[in-house]
């Protein structure tokens, strides 16, 4: 009976996570976008539309979901082992909460946008970074502060709520480093990606 209980518990734990498969290549943006040419087209569209570098947008998505389309925050644990409720309704590539996503849909008119669709997700990140520029006066190339505003919201960022969160500051620095890495990598392959993008249109 005890073994059956343990087995059942393991099954519950195994299915309690999110059912999503992240992109195979997440460390090198050139390989990632070469693998997912449609992603490059979407990233380029967002970059052109919102004037936010795609390497910064991709660095935020990397931090939030590692490019897993149906990512969700881990469940809280009851007694340290039994999966409980999730702390928020964050979902998808961007880990946007539903209320924030609803705001994006309202302001952009993109009413059919889905959090697990990459083209919609990266457009959301570009839009949000543009909002951070308008509402919090953050440069569109400042990955560190853009991520702090992304996590804390514009009200929280403007009140400097992040100053008491050393763990968040550390994560923002990682996003900045990832953005710089992606920027360097893109400089070496962007011409080829543009060429691939053109050919896939035919």
């Amino acid at each position: 009976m005890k073994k059956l209980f343990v087995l059942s518990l393991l099954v519950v734990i195994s299915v309690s996570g999110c059912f999503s498969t992240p992109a195979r290549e997440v460390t090198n943006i050139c390989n990632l976008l070469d693998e997912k040419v449609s992603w490059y087209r979407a990233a380029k569209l967002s970059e052109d539309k919102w004037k936010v570098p795609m390497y910064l947008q991709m660095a935020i998505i990397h931090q939030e979901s590692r490019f897993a389309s149906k990512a969700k925050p881990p469940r809280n644990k009851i007694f340290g082992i039994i999966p409980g409720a999730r702390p928020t309704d964050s979902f998808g590539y961007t880990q946007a909460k539903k209320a924030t996503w609803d705001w994006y849909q309202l302001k952009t008119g993109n009413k059919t946008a889905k959090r697990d669709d990459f083209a919609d997700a990266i457009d959301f990140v570009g839009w949000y970074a543009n909002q951070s520029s308008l509402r919090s006066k953050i440069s569109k190339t400042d990955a560190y502060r853009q991520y702090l505003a992304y996590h804390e919201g514009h009200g929280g960022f403007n009140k400097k709520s992040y100053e008491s969160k050393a763990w968040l500051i550390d994560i923002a620095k990682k996003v900045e480093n990832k953005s710089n890495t992606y920027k360097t990598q893109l400089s070496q392959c962007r011409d080829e990606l543009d060429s691939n993008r053109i050919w896939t249109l035919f």
Side-chain angles (χ1 to χ4, degrees):
M1 189 68 178
K2 184 177 180 181
K3 289 183 179 180
L4 181 60
F5 171 79
V6 173
L7 180 59
S8 299
L9 182 61
L10 290 174
V11 170
V12 170
I13 292 173
S14 68
V15 300
S16 64
C18 56
F19 293 91
S20 59
T21 303
R24 287 177 295 173
E25 176 61 73
V26 298
T27 58
N28 188 303
I29 196 172
C30 294
N31 294 341
L32 173 61
L33 294 176
D34 185 52
E35 174 191 339
K36 308 266 190 186
V37 178
S38 64
W39 284 16
Y40 179 70
R41 291 199 299 269
K44 183 69 168 60
L45 285 172
S46 181
E47 181 180 70
D48 292 344
K49 182 178 181 180
W50 303 111
K51 310 305 179 187
V52 178
M54 71 170 68
Y55 55 80
L56 186 153
Q57 297 183 57
M58 297 289 281
I60 289 177
I61 293 177
H62 173 271
Q63 173 58 41
E64 293 301 283
S65 67
R66 296 301 191 273
F67 302 99
S69 62
K70 299 186 185 300
K72 296 178 182 179
R75 293 180 182 276
N76 294 321
K77 295 295 177 62
I78 302 171
F79 303 121
I81 55 171
I82 302 173
R86 299 186 193 278
T88 72
D89 63 2
S90 301
F91 177 73
Y93 289 106
T94 66
Q95 288 298 280
K97 296 178 181 178
K98 187 178 184 305
T100 309
W101 193 261
D102 289 345
W103 177 38
Y104 160 73
Q105 289 180 308
L106 177 66
K107 292 300 183 181
T108 62
N110 192 3
K111 296 180 180 179
T112 61
K114 298 179 179 179
R115 289 181 285 176
D116 58 355
D117 181 283
F118 181 80
D120 292 333
I122 198 161
D123 187 69
F124 169 84
V125 175
W127 169 81
Y128 197 94
N130 183 60
Q131 290 295 313
S132 297
S133 175
L134 296 172
R135 294 168 177 266
S136 301
K137 309 304 179 186
I138 303 173
S139 167
K140 293 182 180 182
T141 61
D142 187 342
Y144 174 75
R145 289 175 177 78
Q146 281 286 351
Y147 185 75
L148 290 175
Y150 188 89
H151 189 278
E152 295 296 274
H154 302 119
F157 178 86
N158 294 342
K159 293 176 182 177
K160 298 184 179 181
S161 59
Y162 54 86
E163 289 186 344
S164 61
K165 302 176 181 178
W167 58 270
L168 177 57
I169 290 174
D170 287 343
I171 291 175
K173 289 177 181 177
K174 290 180 181 179
V175 172
E176 181 179 43
N177 289 337
K178 179 60 68 176
S179 179
N180 290 335
T181 297
Y182 279 171
K183 180 180 180 180
T184 299
Q185 292 170 347
L186 263 181
S187 69
Q188 300 168 359
C189 68
R190 186 145 191 176
D191 288 345
E192 182 178 352
L193 288 169
D194 278 327
S195 177
N196 290 344
R197 174 172 170 261
I198 292 172
W199 281 109
T200 55
L201 296 178
F202 296 94

